Amino acid sequence: MRPEAAPQLDGLERFASAGKGRGLRARRRFAVGELLYSCPAYAAVLTVSERGSHCDGCFARKEGLSKCGRCKQAFYCNVECQKEDWPMHKLECASMCAFGQNWNPSETVRLTARILAKQKTHPEKTQSEKLLTVKEFESHIDKLDNEKRELIQNDIAALHHFYSKHLEYPDNAALVVLFAQVNCNGFTIEDEELSHLGSAIFPDVALMNHSCCPNVIVTYKGTLAEVRAVKEIEPGEEIFSSYIDLLYPTEDRNDRLRDSYFFNCDCRECITKEKDKEKLEICKLNDPPSAETVKDMIKYARNVIEEFRRAKHYKYILCLALTPLDCELLEICELSLEKMGVVFEDSNVYMLHMMYQAMGVCLYVQDWEGALRYGQKIIRPYSRHYPSYSLNVASMWLKLGRLYMALKNRTAGVKALKR
């Protein structure tokens, strides 16, 4: 009996990647900037904070969106977008009406509900599953610790609580597997400034393995994911994307990969660690800090990053407008920068992280001068630390260009936007 041929797209094929499981491989040459393939979302949800400014169906940013006549909380470009989204929106519409302000399932729960509904209405392969189906997703169920299992059980409870009318549930064990699959294979959809717009499942994009030296990037046009080459790719080469932010040193990156995806990266960058010294640059002093001092400061930096993340999450959960918490977030950034600056250079990635957070707070409170000052300090170290054609660098130039324009410095604005 002849073996079944590997699934293929134009110039690409699924294959067994040594030590990595399934993977994606080039069958022809791809040039820098070339689109390898695109993938529509199997399921997607717009984040709650963007409702009213983006269409719930196609994620387009528009003014004058029309709201759902029943729940008054979902917004659409036109009747076509609303009709197309109704099979998914009806999962939430009646529930939002019933619960009112107490309707608060997490984005993961909302996305999983849509996947369950999609599997019921479209049991056959979809346009998003030419190379990999949702049911084939890796769950790493055997690697989940008690904390992760408890979080999944909380999500399952929320799913039952908020989605009782339009869903048929599999048993608890199957739901645990599905939530684990979503956690490992879900994508965050971002706009051109890398601001969070929503969450989605792109099965064919999830086929790609990770590398800290990726040869492609994934960008989004609404709910369509596009995979584009950032290096020359030759026939037979594996296609690698990055699952994580590549700013950080090797140890931090692999901590994140182990925690979220249950593996260590063995790419060239992780083996050589050649960028780590520059990413962790220490102040050039006559009496340089001891190794123990540096180690303690790195530990402090990691803790303050987590503290800031929790504080920002708390603000998001409360959906606050401009409040004293914004001042508190900015104060966390400024105090940590002052403390770390005794040991770290401004180009150190932990300094850059807090500058980026401070810039975000300044943008939120419309302090354009403050945001510009932080952005100007960030951009050149970003250009050194990130790989070529990084979206993080591009989005920072875009932010700077818009800030210069807002502050009437057209020459600098045009220059930044061209970058």
Side-chain angles (χ1 to χ4, degrees), residues 224-294:
L224 181 76
E226 295 188 335
V227 178
R228 201 171 293 275
V230 291
K231 294 180 181 178
E232 302 285 339
I233 301 173
E234 298 298 331
E237 278 190 52
E238 182 165 1
I239 309 302
F240 288 108
S241 65
S242 173
Y243 295 178
I244 57 172
D245 189 337
L246 296 176
L247 177 66
Y248 302 94
T250 304
E251 184 180 347
D252 292 42
R253 295 197 309 274
N254 277 284
D255 281 348
R256 170 74 191 282
L257 289 169
R258 281 192 300 273
D259 182 61
S260 298
Y261 304 102
F262 307 97
F263 71 88
N264 285 309
C265 183
D266 60 357
C267 73
R268 177 182 53 79
E269 179 65 35
C270 287
I271 292 170
T272 64
K273 302 181 181 180
E274 60 186 14
K275 286 189 175 183
D276 282 7
K277 184 176 180 181
E278 186 178 17
K279 288 183 174 185
L280 296 172
E281 193 167 4
I282 307 305
C283 290
K284 297 172 179 64
L285 304 169
N286 292 330
D287 184 18
S290 67
E292 192 64 29
T293 299
V294 173

Side-chain angles (χ1 to χ4, degrees), residues 92-111:
E92 299 182 342
C93 191
S95 181
M96 286 192 292
C97 292
F99 283 95
Q101 294 194 352
N102 293 320
W103 186 85
N104 59 356
S106 70
E107 214 160 284
T108 301
V109 170
R110 295 175 61 211
L111 181 59

Side-chain angles (χ1 to χ4, degrees), residues 385-400:
H385 295 329
Y386 278 110
S388 301
Y389 306 105
S390 165
L391 295 174
N392 301 77
V393 177
S395 71
M396 183 55 66
W397 280 119
L398 179 59
K399 287 175 183 175
L400 286 172

